[in-house]
Amino acid sequence: MIYFLIYLFLEIFVSVEISAAIGPFWTFIEVIVSALAGLLLLTNFRYTFSENMRAMMAGEITPESFQKQNLAALVGAILLIVPGFFTDIVGLLLQFGIFSGFIARRFFGKSRPVRGPEMESENEFKKGECDVIDVEIVDHPDHRK
């Protein structure tokens, strides 16, 4: 409840200040343009999603980063559709990777490190065991002679 009240205060404060500066006509134009931009981003979200999927499959980003980027793009597009200057500002910031990563870390906590063989403190194998291939040779006598 407290977060909603903080949001409501910021939304009204920012909207009144900007509306007073630019006037009612340009406020109306901004609301329409930002809603159209949000709808455009939502309709093109499948391209953003597929590009992030390609980057994850290529190993350029982690699955956690994939989730955060897609969630930020989706939430940012929805915030652009909602009328108000504060939501438009946050929605625009979420469309950029630097700001979306910052906001995700702020609200979702620090990211966990990815486990791998290079992390020796958490590695369950002894040193050098990762390079060993365990095989069993079974000798079958040849009865065709």
Side-chain angles (χ1 to χ4, degrees):
M1 182 69 171
I2 189 74
Y3 291 121
F4 178 72
L5 292 176
I6 292 171
Y7 155 74
L8 194 60
F9 172 77
L10 287 174
E11 184 67 63
I12 292 172
F13 181 78
V14 170
S15 294
V16 167
E17 289 295 318
I18 294 176
S19 294
I22 66 173
F25 177 74
W26 290 110
T27 300
F28 176 75
I29 296 297
E30 189 278 332
V31 167
I32 298 299
V33 168
S34 68
L36 290 174
L39 287 172
L40 180 69
L41 287 169
L42 268 181
T43 56
N44 291 326
F45 179 71
R46 62 178 174 260
Y47 300 117
T48 304
F49 183 80
S50 63
E51 177 61 28
N52 288 338
M53 179 66 82
R54 186 211 52 81
M56 185 181 71
M57 297 305 257
E60 297 171 6
I61 60 173
T62 63
E64 185 176 306
S65 177
F66 170 77
Q67 290 174 348
K68 287 180 183 178
Q69 287 177 359
N70 286 321
L71 182 65
L74 188 63
V75 170
I78 292 170
L79 287 177
L80 280 171
I81 295 171
V82 174
F85 286 100
F86 182 70
T87 55
D88 290 345
I89 292 168
V90 174
L92 279 175
L93 291 177
L94 283 174
Q95 296 302 316
F96 301 105
I98 296 171
F99 298 110
S100 63
F102 171 74
I103 292 172
R105 280 192 300 277
R106 178 73 173 120
F107 288 107
F108 300 123
K110 297 188 180 195
S111 58
R112 299 180 312 266
V114 179
R115 292 190 66 192
E118 63 275 354
M119 297 179 65
E120 295 194 26
S121 62
E122 296 183 19
N123 197 351
E124 59 197 51
F125 299 110
K126 295 179 186 173
K127 189 171 185 170
E129 256 188 52
C130 291
D131 300 333
V132 176
I133 299 174
D134 189 16
V135 297
E136 182 178 337
I137 299 174
V138 178
D139 188 22
H140 291 286
D142 191 12
H143 297 289
R144 291 184 283 166
K145 291 185 184 180

